Amino acid sequence: MNKLALSIRIILYGALLSTFIGAISFAFIYLESNISHYLWHILLTNNTFKTLTILLFCLLGGLIVGSLRGKWGDYPQTAHHTIQQLKEHKTVNYRPVFKSLLTAFLILIFGAGVGPEAALLGAIVMLSVWQADKIRYLFFNRESFAALKPLERLGHMFHPTRYLLTYNPKNTNEKLAATKKYVIIFYILNGLFAFIVLMKYTNQPSFISKMGMTYWELKDFWLFVPLVIFGVLAGKLYNLFKRKMADWMNFWSDQPIKKALIGSFAIFIVGMFTPNLLFSGQVTLGAVPKEYLHFSTLLLVCVVIIKLVFLQVCLNTGWIGGDIFPIVFSAILLGFGLSQLLPNFDTVFIVATVATAMTISILQSPLGLAIFIALFFPVQILPIILLTALLLKVIQTKRGKQIV
């Protein structure tokens, strides 16, 4: 097989596999979103015994989640864990990927106050390594692979546990490595394209909701530093609470069912009295710019506290999931609450600055978080978001040098 034919074949098979990964990601989001909506907005609420039904449903969730953790271990695997494993070993164990997705799916539909992003990104990383092992097998067995019939090739490519070749630095091909990063980018974009097309085709709601229009002026900039300080202090307060919560909940490590049932009761209470705070908050976030004026600053701050406490209870009782969406939701809501005390200044300017500062203070990733948060705001506020991220990045760098 000549070099051109081999390159084309690798790109085509890789594109097929990345489309497959994009389709799995879509299926996870589609099923989780629609089943959660049916359970919590139709089945559990439209009946005579609403309170008892929700309680029994939450307890069932605790029993299932706790049992799975007792049987399978610490699932779902989050993106942080998977990427760390990839950095250390140059590969990951992708065989339990569907265990991880199933556990995450159950945690989400039972109403935990976490996001889908951590488990889904972790699964995507695992599937991407699986894809790389498939492509590596194709490259090093190109002659025998080319002799197969088309259907046999597809069978080899999609077989979940066979026809794989794990990364080995001794087998690295320098010529192939030179173009590897461009091929990887192509695969990522192709998988993302497949995911977006499927989401659009099925009319699924967007993850991103815009937080209104901005008309900020130079006078608003007088608030910039105080707003950044406020956001950072709010983030540090949350991090302090997070550490305390981990200490308080450090019990029953060998009894996952009992621990998961604590999370069940938290989900029941939130589901009964503040159901909009179930799940990650990204669906509710779209209504905030229109509805926040109907609530006092004190009430909005209380909602932020409840959401963040609920998040930590879930995470510390085995209801594992993403914290990015819940934290961004809380930070944006806190910004809207503060803006009510400053009616003479631009609301979106206040919200964007506070949300960026608080989120970066908690999650410690200035550039990535700035790009993510910018998706929620009009482009006119982008300079403020980037300036906030840059300022906090400089402060983090200087503090890091001092510690060293």
Side-chain angles (χ1 to χ4, degrees), residues 261-383:
L261 288 174
I262 297 175
S264 294
F265 281 108
I267 295 170
F268 167 71
I269 293 170
V270 172
M272 282 299 302
F273 300 103
T274 55
N276 285 336
L277 298 185
L278 293 171
F279 314 112
S280 64
Q282 81 265 20
V283 176
T284 308
L285 193 57
V288 171
K290 300 176 183 177
E291 301 293 336
Y292 80 97
L293 287 172
H294 298 154
F295 305 99
S296 66
T297 298
L298 179 60
L299 182 58
L300 291 174
V301 171
C302 287
V303 171
V304 170
I305 293 172
I306 292 170
K307 180 61 182 175
L308 292 176
V309 170
F310 181 43
L311 169 64
Q312 282 302 310
V313 171
C314 289
L315 293 177
N316 284 282
T317 56
W319 295 77
I320 304 299
D323 61 353
I324 296 177
F325 269 118
I327 288 171
V328 170
F329 168 80
S330 302
I332 288 176
L333 202 61
L334 183 64
F336 275 110
L338 181 62
S339 71
Q340 292 196 5
L341 302 177
L342 303 165
N344 295 324
F345 295 89
D346 185 78
T347 297
V348 173
F349 179 93
I350 295 171
V351 174
T353 308
V354 170
T356 305
M358 179 177 172
T359 308
I360 291 175
S361 177
I362 294 171
L363 299 173
Q364 300 292 312
S365 180
L367 180 59
L369 288 170
I371 294 172
F372 179 70
I373 292 172
L375 298 175
F376 292 88
F377 294 93
V379 68
Q380 294 90 336
I381 208 72
L382 179 61

Side-chain angles (χ1 to χ4, degrees), residues 392-403:
L392 294 179
K393 177 65 176 177
V394 170
I395 293 173
Q396 286 179 8
T397 302
K398 287 186 176 181
R399 287 187 60 189
K401 290 181 179 179
Q402 290 174 355
I403 292 172

